[in-house]
Amino acid sequence: MQIKKPINVRIGSNIRVEREKAGYTQETLSEILGITPNHLSAIERGVSGASLEMIDTLCTLFGITSDTLFFGNQGQTDYSAKIALQLGRIKPEYRPQIQKMLSALIEIILKQEK
């Protein structure tokens, strides 16, 4: 019996969660990835590990960061502090333009949530 590595179990479980959220079956996703459904099942159960290339493909396909696959919801970062830090580095003459763009972006996001 093969010993499952905790990191493979965690990543595999997160792949399954994201696959289901995206509405893919194991058969469909395995076809996209160029692997067998049995191999994808083994990855999702943590019996096998996902390659970095596969993780990259999954992140692109699901529109997520690798943090989501490595850490699940715990890996989601609050970017507010990072954004504030970067905004502080912007030259004062550009701040009004950036503020307008951010306001427009926030407005679009809020409209989508309705």
Side-chain angles (χ1 to χ4, degrees):
M1 180 173 158
Q2 187 176 1
I3 298 174
K4 296 179 184 179
K5 294 179 182 178
I7 192 167
N8 289 343
V9 173
R10 185 176 66 236
I11 291 172
S13 175
N14 292 333
I15 289 171
R16 180 186 51 76
V17 166
E18 294 301 320
R19 173 182 59 78
E20 290 174 350
K21 279 201 291 189
Y24 289 104
T25 63
Q26 282 187 336
E27 291 75 19
T28 303
L29 184 57
S30 63
E31 187 175 318
I32 291 168
L33 296 172
I35 61 175
T36 67
N38 285 344
H39 187 189
L40 180 57
S41 175
I43 290 170
E44 289 185 355
R45 290 181 285 118
V47 174
S48 295
S51 69
L52 290 176
E53 181 181 10
M54 182 181 296
I55 289 171
D56 181 52
T57 300
L58 291 169
C59 289
T60 302
L61 181 66
F62 298 147
I64 59 174
T65 66
S66 58
D67 282 359
T68 303
L69 292 183
F70 283 105
F71 307 109
N73 290 334
Q74 295 174 357
Q76 294 179 348
T77 304
D78 177 12
Y79 290 102
S80 301
K82 291 180 180 182
I83 291 170
L85 176 65
Q86 295 305 317
L87 288 175
R89 294 178 177 173
I90 295 172
K91 292 181 181 180
E93 61 266 24
Y94 296 121
R95 289 182 187 164
Q97 293 171 309
I98 299 293
Q99 191 171 21
K100 285 180 186 177
M101 288 188 295
L102 288 174
S103 295
L105 180 61
I106 290 168
E107 187 177 323
I108 290 168
I109 291 168
L110 292 175
K111 283 181 182 178
Q112 290 181 1
E113 290 178 354
K114 290 181 181 180

